[in-house]
Amino acid sequence: MDRTEKREFVASLATVFAETSFVLVAQNKGLTVADVSELRRRMRAAGASYKVAKNRLATLALEGTRFQGVAPLLKGPTAIAWSTDPVAVAKTAVEFAKTNDKFVVLGGALGTQNLDATGIKALAELPSLETLRAQLVGLIQTPATRIAGILQAPGGQVARVLSAYAKKDEAQAA
C-alpha cells in the first residue's frame, strides 16, 4: 500500500466508524481462507461488515471517534466487525468463535461504552433488533385488542338483556 491508498483507507474506515453504532474487535490468528470466507458470509447475512485491517491504520481511523476505547485491543492479528445492529454482529461472532477456536472475540464498543469479551457474549444473548421490534408491536397491539373487546362487551350484554326482555314479553303475551 502506498501513502495515498493508506490515507484513503483510513478516511473510509473513519467514515464507517462515524456512521455505525457498534464495533467488535477479534483476533483471527491462524484462520484459513475458507474460515475467513465463511465468517464474512455469515457477517454479510447478519447485515454486518468484517474487515482485517492493519492495526496502525485502524488506530488512526479510530482517533476522534466515539470508539477510541477499542484501540488498545488492536495488537497482533486482529479484525474489525461493525453494524448498526449490535446484537447481530455479536451473535455471529460468538457463534463462529464457538465452532472455531482460532477466532477469539477480544471486545468492542457500543457507542461510547467499551465492552470486554464477556460483555460481547452478554450482548449476543439478547434477542435481535427484529425480534425486539416484533415483541414491541405485540405488546402495543394486545391492549388495543383487549380494549376493543371490553368496549364491545357492554353493548353485547345490553342487546342480550333487551332480547331476553323481548322474549319474556312475547311469552307473557302468548
Side-chain angles (χ1 to χ4, degrees):
M1 266 184 153
D2 65 356
R3 285 180 178 247
T4 308
E5 290 174 329
K6 287 180 182 179
R7 278 191 207 111
E8 290 173 3
F9 179 76
V10 169
S12 69
L13 206 52
T15 303
V16 165
F17 292 145
E19 295 173 353
T20 190
S21 64
F22 178 73
V23 173
L24 178 129
V25 179
Q27 187 176 41
N28 59 348
K29 188 176 186 177
L31 285 178
T32 64
V33 173
D35 291 338
V36 173
S37 297
E38 173 65 17
L39 179 58
R40 286 182 200 272
R41 186 189 62 73
R42 288 185 189 182
M43 288 285 185
R44 251 188 323 253
S49 298
Y50 174 83
K51 188 154 205 76
V52 176
K54 289 189 177 252
N55 293 337
R56 179 71 184 132
L57 297 178
T59 303
L60 287 172
L62 284 169
E63 287 178 11
T65 67
R66 59 185 169 199
F67 302 115
Q68 279 181 291
V70 299
L73 299 174
L74 297 172
K75 290 185 177 28
T78 55
I80 301 170
W82 64 87
S83 174
T84 54
D85 182 8
V87 176
V89 177
K91 275 187 185 203
T92 305
V94 169
E95 286 174 8
F96 188 79
K98 286 179 184 175
T99 60
N100 195 325
D101 59 343
K102 294 179 182 177
F103 182 77
V104 179
V105 175
L106 299 175
L110 180 59
T112 56
Q113 180 69 39
N114 291 337
L115 302 170
D116 59 354
T118 55
I120 300 292
K121 288 177 184 170
L123 187 61
E125 293 172 1
L126 293 174
S128 70
L129 188 59
E130 292 302 317
T131 305
L132 288 173
R133 285 180 181 157
Q135 289 174 348
L136 183 61
V137 168
L139 288 173
I140 291 170
Q141 285 180 341
T142 300
T145 305
R146 288 184 181 163
I147 289 171
I150 289 169
L151 291 176
Q152 289 177 352
Q157 289 175 349
V158 169
R160 284 189 289 279
V161 169
L162 292 175
S163 174
Y165 278 122
K167 288 180 184 175
K168 180 179 167 187
D169 288 342
E170 288 175 11
Q172 288 177 353

